[in-house]
Amino acid sequence: MTRTRTKQLELLGLWLALLILAGVAALAYRSVGAAADTLGWVEHTHEVLHELDDVSAAYARSVSARRAYVVAGDGSQLGDAPKLDAHMAAAIVALRASIADNPSQLRRLDLLERRLDDRIAELDAGVERRRAEGSAVETAEGLALAASVRSIREEIGAEENRLLVDRDARTRRDLGSTKLAEVVGTLASIAILLFAFGRLHQEIAGRERTERALRASEGFLESIVENIPHMIFVKGAGELRFERINRAGEQLLGVTREELVGKNDFDFFPAEQAKFFQERDRETLSNRVVVDIPEEPIQTKRGKRWLHTKKVPVVDEQGVPKFLLGISDDMTEQREAAVVLKAAKEAAEAAIQELEAFSYSVAHDLRAPLRAIDGFSLALEEDCGAKLDGAGALHLKRVRTSAQHMARLIDGLLGLSRVTRGELVREKVDLTHLAQQAAARLRETSPDRQVDLVVQEGLEVEGDARLLTAALDNLLGNAWKFTGKSSHARVEVGRQTEESGGVFFVRDNGVGFEQAYAQKLFGAFQRLHSVTEFEGSGIGLATVHRIVRRHGGRIWAQGEVGRGATFYFTL
Amino acid sequence: MDDKIILLVEDNPNDEALTLRALQKNNIKNTVVVVRDGAEALDWLFARGAYAGRDATVMPQVVLLDLKLPKLSGIEVLSAVREDPRTKRLPVVLLTSSREEQDVMAGYDKGANSYVRKPVDFADFAEAIRQLGLYWLVLNETAPAKRTP
């Protein structure tokens, strides 16, 4: 539920509670009014009964004044008769006024009045009779009238009493509903109060919880910021004064946050550095981008340090920069290490270069005396051959053969060092073409050899053309050499697609080798055959090995004595 | 034949002897002038220093130039030769001692240069010189501009 929705509901509840209370009040007011009303009616009934009694009393006095004379001849009260009649008439008028709202009672009263008049008139007739005859008695008619009067009067009384009971009951009812309204109202008020109190309590508890959570989360973030081992600082966007700094920052700069907060870069750093920092700050804030400063010198109280700093603009909801957040990594040690490493690398490179130059010049300079040895041996043979006997000629031949072998060794060494030096230039290389070219060169040097060459089409790779040419020259040269004694020499170049990029192979049906020595094939000056058997320097496969390794590939060999050899390689 | 000179720039006496022997063996009768470092080679070509009295108009038919030389290297000599109008078109044969050197020299290949690898196998070396002799010496031809009627 959203916050606005809750608010709406709360407002609705408040109105509802007010409405309930107002309803209860209105109900109470109304039932109290009704009770007062009925109470008035009860009193009115009592009044009517009272007036009825007045009428009865006045009638009784009027009747007895006359009857005393009629029956007993006592005329002492006769004189009062008109006055008593007037009383009775007045009582009737009063009663009529009181029951004016009740037509049936009025009808009864009319009847009663008529009967009273009749009774009074009958008694007056009795009075006349006694005056005329000296004696009189109550007539039957008179007694009947008296009974009728009594009965009507009782009717009126009974009716009023019934009304009284009715009104009493209504009053009680009205008072009952007033009480109910009071009880309901009170209960409703209590309920609303309890509910409101509950809500309030909940609200307060909720707020306390939120505040606790907020405090906890602030504490959590705070401790994270404090414990991050990089300097973290915040500056105000306006005057670039420090607002915050974490512990790592204090340690790095050698100042406390109390010293730093409220000050700017010019208060702590040399003017040139402070200017640089603030320029980067402004750049960050105005472009609203993260600015990365990989190497930033800073003069701290602990001496000059090198920082890698990232500056981040912190903007408000409208996108207006408010703060500058900075995160700095102390790169001083790494930088020093890098400097040392660079120096070491340069020294190592220089040493390697020197060594290469040395070995190159050694190899190169060894050739000069070799040329002389071979050249003058030949000159000796040509110019003084006739003076040498068979043994002497053989010695001379050995001198030349050895010189020539040493020349090949030197060539091999130079080739090996060529493979190691120089940059590896990767490009698309057609191994099929390179293999065919290598074979063509071999056919040229030994035109009398018959070799069946099968090269798979489309052997395309990414690699260094110069180095791969050297590798195939060596591999095919080997195959050529070791099939020299086979009757049907066959050399095959192809690809097995076992791995990604493929496994290439050069296979021959030559003399082969013992598998146990397969690893020895790739070491420099390692040979599995004697020089008299097969000519060679023992450097060719070492060169191929280096070329494959420089391409990030692998080379291995499979062979069997007398059944050929296969060299596999990946690039 | 006096003006058909071969200039051999070679500091190693053994190589010099073998080269001269090869030329001789192949019946090349030209005058071979031998100088022993790069600076001396340029002095000779431009008739200066120790060779100030030399007739500067006499140019060799071919220069056999070793690469490893004292003072000025073969490459420096070649650059100086190519820069000077007098020697710009002089045929130069570079004597290299390895394929490596030959590769390096390919970058400096300007004008009428040729290579001969100084092989230990003397017969091959002689054959190379003989072939050069066929083109530059035996035919007695040099660049057309210098041809005399």
Side-chain angles (χ1 to χ4, degrees), chain A residues 360-361 364-365 367-372 374-376 378-380 382-383 400 403-404 407 411 414 418 421, chain B residues 10 12-15 17-18 21 25 66 68 96-101 103-104 117-123:
Chain A
Y360 175 75
S361 96
H364 195 268
D365 290 352
R367 290 171 166 282
L370 220 48
R371 268 199 307 278
D374 190 50
F376 287 109
L378 181 67
L380 190 64
E382 282 175 354
D383 298 348
R400 288 201 66 209
Q404 283 164 14
D411 279 350
L414 284 174
R418 264 152 63 94
R421 275 178 292 142
Chain B
E10 175 63 78
N12 184 321
N14 286 334
D15 283 338
L18 289 171
R21 186 173 180 274
K25 273 262 176 190
D66 189 25
K68 273 194 91 153
T96 65
S97 51
S98 67
R99 209 170 89 195
E100 181 93 348
E101 263 187 0
D103 285 351
V104 170
R117 188 172 165 191
K118 293 200 278 186
V120 174
D121 189 331
F122 187 81

